[in-house]
């Protein structure tokens, strides 16, 4: 005798659990980086839209923290629509964000007095449904709060980016705690690209994909976002043959 058909409520619950576990990631819209080495390790070939992602600086310093913010700005720049950026302190440098492709006219800044207010604004922005991306700078992010943010992002289809910033070193340990974020990234600044003449070349970063739901971690070395929010291969790597790049170079984007 066959099994009775599942009720609509049970079917919906199973579908929701599958979403939380990353089951239908292949059917979710994504935002590709345009760098095949990075996109191929991400389910669906890019960052999942309608999802929460985390970004942090590699060594918890101001330089790496700025690199993490610019990495997030480059992602937001490649979305469509307005971008909401929630902060507790007004220390963002708009010209630098514009160099990463995120023009001032697209960004709505929300300055909240504390992290609880930032979280509330973050969730409300994700639920709004009319924004291309919502970013928030947070020191701590609990599993409960991240689940609410993930569900809000799923409902609206917007991409949410939690930029983890710490005022005290002791707060950095919170980044190792589990959250509901679909991906978790760490960004570290590297020496800029050398130029044939005196000057400062394009910034370079080490990207560490620490966690990706339904995928494997990896790390990449890239040139920083250009004025369209796009990452790039090192010039000396881009000119090499595919065979040479697949040899001694390890997971370089």
């Amino acid at each position: 005798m066959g099994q009775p058909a599942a009720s609509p409520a049970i079917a919906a619950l199973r579908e929701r659990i599958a979403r939380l576990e990353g089951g239908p990631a292949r059917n979710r819209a994504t935002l590709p980086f345009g760098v095949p080495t990075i996109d191929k390790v991400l389910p669906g070939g890019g960052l999942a839209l309608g999802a929460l992602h985390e970004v942090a600086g590699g060594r918890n310093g101001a330089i790496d923290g700025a690199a993490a913010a610019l990495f997030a700005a480059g992602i937001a720049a490649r979305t469509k629509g307005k971008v909401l950026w929630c902060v507790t302190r007004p220390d963002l440098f708009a010209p630098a964000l514009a160099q990463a492709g995120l023009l001032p006219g697209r960004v709505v800044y929300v300055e909240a007095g504390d992290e609880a207010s930032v979280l509330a604004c973050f969730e409300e922005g994700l639920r709004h449904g009319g924004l291309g991306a919502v970013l928030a700078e947070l020191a701590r992010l609990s599993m409960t709060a991240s689940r609410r943010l993930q569900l809000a992002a799923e409902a609206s289809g917007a991409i949410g980016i939690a930029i983890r910033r710490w005022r005290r070193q002791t707060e950095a340990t919170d980044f190792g705690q589990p959250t509901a974020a679909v991906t978790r990234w760490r960004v570290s600044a590297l020496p800029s690209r050398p130029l044939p003449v005196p000057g400062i070349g394009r910034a370079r970063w080490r990207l560490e994909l620490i966690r990706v739901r339904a995928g494997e971690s990896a790390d990449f070395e890239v040139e920083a976002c250009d004025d369209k929010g796009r990452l790039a291969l090192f010039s000396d790597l881009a000119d090499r043959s595919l065979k040479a790049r697949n040899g001694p170079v390890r997971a370089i984007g």
Side-chain angles (χ1 to χ4, degrees), residues 56-59 62-68 186-192 203-208 222:
R59 290 181 291 273
I63 294 176
D64 288 345
R186 191 159 52 196
V187 187
S188 302
L190 297 174
S192 62
R204 299 193 295 185
W205 299 332
R206 177 178 296 280
L207 298 182
E208 297 174 79
V222 299

Side-chain angles (χ1 to χ4, degrees), residues 5-32:
S7 70
I10 293 177
L13 180 60
R14 286 174 176 169
E15 182 180 352
R16 182 175 176 183
I17 292 173
R19 284 203 309 270
L20 291 174
E21 293 178 344
R26 61 184 179 275
N27 298 324
R28 182 183 293 162
T30 60
L31 180 69

